Amino acid sequence: MVTDPDRGRDIVSLGFVKDVQVANGSVGFTIELTTPASPVREQLRQQARQAVAALPGVGAVNVTMTASVRGSPSPVKERLIPAVKNIIPVASGKGGVGKSTVSANLALALAGTGARVGIMDADVYGPTIPTLLNAHTLPKPTAEGTVPAERYGIKIISMGFFIREDDAIIWRGPMLHKTVRHFLGKVQWGELDYLIVDLPPGTGDVQLTLCQAIPLTGAVVVSTPQDVALKVAQKAIAMFNQLNTPVLGIIEDMASYVCPACGAHDDVFGTGGARRAADRLGVPFLGEIPLATEIRKRSDAGRPIVLDAESPLARAYLTVAENLAAQVSTRNMQRELTPLVQIR
Ligand SMILES: Nc1ncnc2c1ncn2[C@@H]1O[C@H](COP(=O)(O)OP(=O)(O)OP(=O)(O)O)[C@@H](O)[C@H]1O
Ligand SMILES: [Mg+2]
């Protein structure tokens, strides 16, 4: 028996095994995972091959690995944005903890595994995604809706494309609502497995509007490790709970500084706080990202660190992306509807 470690069940009863073909002692079949971002892909292939090869009369064994990301089912989503399977906001209690950097690197890490990914910069107050991804070709308005910008294989929409940097826009509730709904329903996203939404900090209007407009697969909360930051992160989690949006996990950012010259570690903001908070709140812990000058430099240069596959820092973001994708799969396999909240 071959067991999927994330679900603790065998891959046949989970429906992962497809297209079984037997001819003259050779056996071929496909294993379809629920995300291409699975760290156990090769392990499952090997185990399945061995299990079948051990059967009497079997000669050659041919295993094809594929993935089909499941979506969060909802009639409202079907109406507004049917081809986007999962909408995942990245939030934080307080500003400057690395949300936008996490959003960009997670989107790129997921795309790097073969998933179809988009990123929506919903930080209308200070959009940074176009700079982080060095994306300066404007989205195109068409009769069928806005065609998003595209960079490094991901689709991008941001208020940053539509305003000048020194423009001051005063956002009123109805304008925010209209913009968020436009970004969701009037953008030609095409088929996407994951749409990552970079939120402004805090628990304000954009968060409310997004949760109200559409059922989300679940939110990711970014926090630095120190107590004050975690207390505010807790507020973000409480907000999502109140809005019936599941929290898929917490990421600890700026976890430990590694001196590039001497290699010494310094826990500038403490360490392990987010993991402990996640345990206490019963929320999954998705991983930690070190505080590293290289991350900041790459972001400023518009080539996020994940694009540098050899970097151990890229590995940190990739691990978080894999853990997130696993949480998304688990959530969708539970096949619950995420209820839509009416804000009065
Ligand atoms: N792990 C990290 N190591 C070093 N610098 C980082 C790291 N993560 C983010 N930064 C830097 O910290 C600054 C703030 O990051 P970022 O803009 O991603 O935060 P944010 O939470 O989106 O901020 P805001 O709340 O203003 O939207 C940026 O200069 C970014 O390059
Ligand atoms: Mg930001």
Side-chain angles (χ1 to χ4, degrees):
M1 190 169 84
V2 179
T3 306
D4 172 21
D6 284 334
R7 321 258 126 55
R9 266 176 60 188
D10 73 281
I11 59 171
V12 176
S13 75
L14 283 166
F16 289 1
V17 179
K18 309 222 148 121
D19 304 332
V20 180
Q21 284 170 10
V22 183
N24 304 326
S26 21
V27 178
F29 55 94
T30 298
I31 300 179
E32 187 184 80
L33 302 178
T34 53
T35 175
S38 169
V40 293
R41 189 186 166 95
E42 278 315 302
Q43 179 191 323
L44 289 179
R45 183 208 292 271
Q46 292 301 340
Q47 286 178 354
R49 184 199 304 277
Q50 279 164 15
V52 175
L55 297 174
V58 171
V61 181
N62 195 352
V63 189
T64 308
M65 300 299 291
T66 63
S68 170
V69 174
R70 306 199 180 178
S72 71
S74 127
V76 179
K77 192 168 79 56
E78 280 308 303
R79 245 188 352 262
L80 195 63
I81 187 168
V84 173
K85 292 186 179 168
N86 294 290
I87 304 174
I88 305 165
V90 175
S92 72
K94 65 196 214 67
V97 296
K99 277 179 307 304
S100 302
T101 312
V102 162
S103 300
N105 279 291
L106 283 188
L108 292 171
L110 290 167
T113 68
R116 296 161 302 178
V117 182
I119 188 161
M120 171 176 149
D121 184 356
D123 190 347
V124 291
Y125 309 104
T128 49
I129 293 295
T131 309
L132 278 175
L133 294 173
N134 194 19
H136 300 292
T137 317
L138 296 186
K140 284 192 212 60
T142 69
E144 290 77 41
T146 307
V147 177
E150 213 164 326
R151 185 81 174 147
Y152 305 128
I154 58 181
K155 296 188 174 164
I156 311 162
I157 205 84
S158 167
M159 206 52 211
F161 290 128
F162 306 106
I163 51 171
R164 286 205 315 268
E165 258 174 40
D166 45 2
D167 274 351
I169 295 195
I170 298 164
W171 288 92
R172 297 173 65 88
M175 282 161 64
L176 275 177
H177 193 79
K178 209 171 141 209
T179 304
V180 169
R181 286 189 71 89
H182 184 99
F183 279 5
L184 287 170
K186 300 273 169 51
V187 169
Q188 296 273 304
W189 291 110
E191 303 248 326
L192 291 184
D193 296 315
Y194 306 104
L195 176 61
I196 305 289
V197 183
D198 181 25
L199 288 172
T203 51
D205 254 353
V206 177
Q207 286 77 353
L208 274 179
T209 303
L210 187 69
C211 293
Q212 191 185 17
I214 206 159
L216 307 163
T217 302
V220 169
V221 175
V222 181
S223 178
T224 48
Q226 77 273 41
D227 272 355
V228 278
L230 284 161
K231 286 213 173 88
V232 203
Q234 221 163 303
K235 283 192 189 160
I237 292 172
M239 172 194 72
F240 285 118
N241 285 338
Q242 218 172 324
L243 295 172
N244 286 340
T245 299
V247 175
L248 296 168
I250 302 185
I251 300 172
E252 180 163 292
D253 198 3
M254 310 187 178
S256 178
Y257 176 73
V258 185
C259 171
C262 68
H265 283 246
D266 184 7
D267 296 333
V268 181
F269 298 119
T271 187
R275 191 188 285 272
R276 286 192 295 276
D279 283 351
R280 200 174 59 240
L281 297 168
V283 170
F285 181 68
L286 298 178
E288 55 201 43
I289 309 293
L291 177 67
T293 314
E294 200 58 16
I295 294 179
R296 202 264 309 144
K297 278 194 191 155
R298 295 296 179 117
S299 298
D300 286 353
R303 256 192 79 78
I305 192 85
V306 154
L307 294 169
D308 183 359
E310 300 302 307
S311 156
L313 296 164
R315 183 70 240 169
Y317 283 109
L318 184 61
T319 301
V320 170
E322 288 169 350
N323 290 338
L324 171 63
Q327 288 299 329
V328 170
S329 299
T330 302
R331 165 86 203 157
N332 289 334
M333 286 183 84
Q334 287 165 353
R335 293 224 160 260
E336 286 172 20
L337 288 182
T338 309
L340 189 66
V341 186
Q342 297 299 333
I343 310 286
R344 286 179 295 277

